[in-house]
């Protein structure tokens, strides 16, 4: 049997969790030596019932999984890295509970690249998606790999922007790497597998299980030198990633937003707790002392700040935009400010929205984007 089989067997032995696996590895070395140990040797480390489970023959389901994994590994872009392999990411060895196995699809070299995690709301605002794209684009141009979770919203925007430039992006998924989740990201998944890499600690065929996603977040932060939270509600899962990053000794960055926006609450909470408020990619590079990875001059300027995107042409509609704020405004209040009737106001707002200058929100609210 290949060495990875014994790692797979250890991972799938009932009753062996991360802590028990670490104790066994500390005592015996490699998994093959664990399964070659005697009952007496094993019971010195684990309870008798667990020792019995370790000494039992490999189950039929495990052998089928091993056969499936072996077939999957025939593809040269597929890799299975064990905790003892030289290719195992050094950054993950620093976290308290590194996975025993990593399934990798794509560029394995990216696991040792300098990277930043970018996370945020699945139900992101238009501005949040833009901010995620701008930061990922600028950091990618500076040679930084972007890691995220391939979820909808902020994650997808960060991956797509990174792929558009250097292709340096890592997707950490909470399913098996052979499962595309969400299904609508089929094209994104293929692009990341072709130009970046997709990794998972979960065996092939593992479906989307809610409890797996918070756990995979520790790998997004663990791979990176820091984590940027773009948008997050007060109870967002992105805050779990930020907390894990802080516990792992990583830097935490947050983009501020409107005090009236629910999607800014989480970021403001993080800033109150000590996260660094950032307005540009250069802020992150300076905080991490990545002075050799400067953002190109066109991006580092104030005009490229996410709060003042240079692409907005304000002249044709400056009168209405001047009455709009970056905070959400009810339509009736905006009508009172401008003196415009509702039909004329809605017509101009539609033009602005199609131009990407404003965003309409639920509840009859509208806000300026540039």
């Amino acid at each position: 049997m290949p060495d990875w089989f014994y790692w797979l067997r250890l991972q799938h032995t009932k009753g062996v969790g991360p802590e028990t696996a670490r104790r066994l590895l500390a005592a015996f070395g490699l998994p093959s030596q664990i399964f070659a140990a005697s009952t007496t040797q094993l019971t010195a480390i684990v309870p008798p019932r667990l020792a019995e489970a370790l000494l039992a023959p490999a189950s039929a389901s495990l052998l089928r999984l091993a056969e499936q994994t072996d077939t999957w590994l025939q593809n040269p872009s597929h890799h299975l890295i064990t905790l003892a392999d030289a290719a195992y990411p050094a950054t993950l060895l620093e976290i308290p509970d590194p996975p025993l196995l990593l399934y990798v699809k794509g560029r394995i070299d990216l696991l040792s690249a300098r990277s930043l995690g970018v996370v945020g709301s699945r139900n992101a605002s238009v501005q949040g998606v833009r901010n995620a794209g701008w930061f990922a684009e600028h950091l990618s141009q500076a040679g930084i790999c972007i890691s995220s979770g391939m979820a909808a919203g902020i994650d997808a925007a960060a991956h797509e922007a990174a792929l558009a430039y250097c292709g340096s992006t890592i997707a950490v998924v909470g399913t098996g790497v052979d499962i595309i989740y969400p299904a609508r990201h089929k094209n994104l998944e293929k692009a990341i597998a072709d130009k970046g890499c997709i990794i998972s600690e979960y065996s092939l065929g593992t479906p989307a299980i809610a409890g797996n996603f918070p756990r995979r977040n520790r790998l997004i932060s663990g791979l990176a030198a820091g984590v940027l939270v773009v948008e997050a509600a007060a109870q967002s899962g992105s805050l779990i990633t930020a907390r894990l990053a802080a516990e792992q000794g990583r830097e935490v960055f947050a983009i501020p937003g409107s005090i009236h926006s629910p999607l800014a609450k989480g970021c403001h909470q993080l800033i109150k707790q000590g996260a660094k408020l950032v307005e540009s990619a250069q802020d992150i590079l300076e905080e991490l002392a990545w002075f050799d990875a400067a953002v190109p001059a066109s991006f580092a300027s104030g005009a490229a700040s996410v709060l003042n995107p240079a692409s907005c042409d304000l002249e044709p509609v400056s009168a209405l935009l001047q009455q709009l704020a970056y905070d959400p405004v009810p339509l009736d209040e905006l009508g009172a400010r401008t003196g415009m009737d509702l039909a004329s106001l809605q017509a101009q707002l539609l033009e602005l929205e199609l131009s990407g200058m404003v965003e309409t929100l639920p509840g009859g609210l509208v806000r300026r984007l540039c």
Side-chain angles (χ1 to χ4, degrees), residues 2 24 46 69 81 100 151 195 201 217 236 266 370:
L24 287 165
V46 297
T69 303
I81 305 174
L100 299 181
K195 297 177 66 178
E201 65 183 303
N217 290 350
S236 170
C370 61

Side-chain angles (χ1 to χ4, degrees), residues 309-322 348 351-352 355 357 368 370:
S311 61
C312 293
D313 179 8
L314 306 184
E315 290 304 320
V317 286
S318 58
L320 179 55
L321 279 177
Q322 285 174 2
Q348 286 201 29
E351 180 183 348
L352 291 175
S355 301
M357 295 183 183
R368 178 174 173 173
C370 61

Side-chain angles (χ1 to χ4, degrees), residues 39-61:
T39 302
T40 302
Q41 290 172 316
L42 287 171
T43 52
I45 308 298
V46 297
R49 291 184 65 180
L50 189 49
E52 182 180 342
L54 289 164
L55 292 172
S59 67
S61 61

Side-chain angles (χ1 to χ4, degrees), residues 260 320 323-338 340 342 345-346 349 359-368:
H260 302 292
L320 179 55
Q323 296 300 323
L324 271 170
Y326 295 104
D327 290 345
V329 181
L331 275 178
D332 54 356
E333 181 178 333
L334 185 59
R337 290 182 189 177
T338 60
M340 297 173 63
L342 183 59
L345 181 61
Q346 288 178 324
L349 287 174
E359 175 183 17
T360 57
L361 301 170
L365 301 175
V366 62
R367 70 173 174 181
R368 178 174 173 173

Side-chain angles (χ1 to χ4, degrees), residues 11 22 32 62 88 103 105 128 150 157-158 179 200 212 228 236 240 264 290-291 295-296 299 326 332 343:
Q11 184 182 54
R22 287 194 293 272
S32 58
L62 176 64
Y88 197 92
Y103 297 78
K105 181 164 31 172
M150 212 170 76
I179 303 294
S200 177
N212 288 351
L228 169 66
S236 170
I240 297 175
W290 285 344
F291 300 117
V295 171
F299 290 158
Y326 295 104
D332 54 356

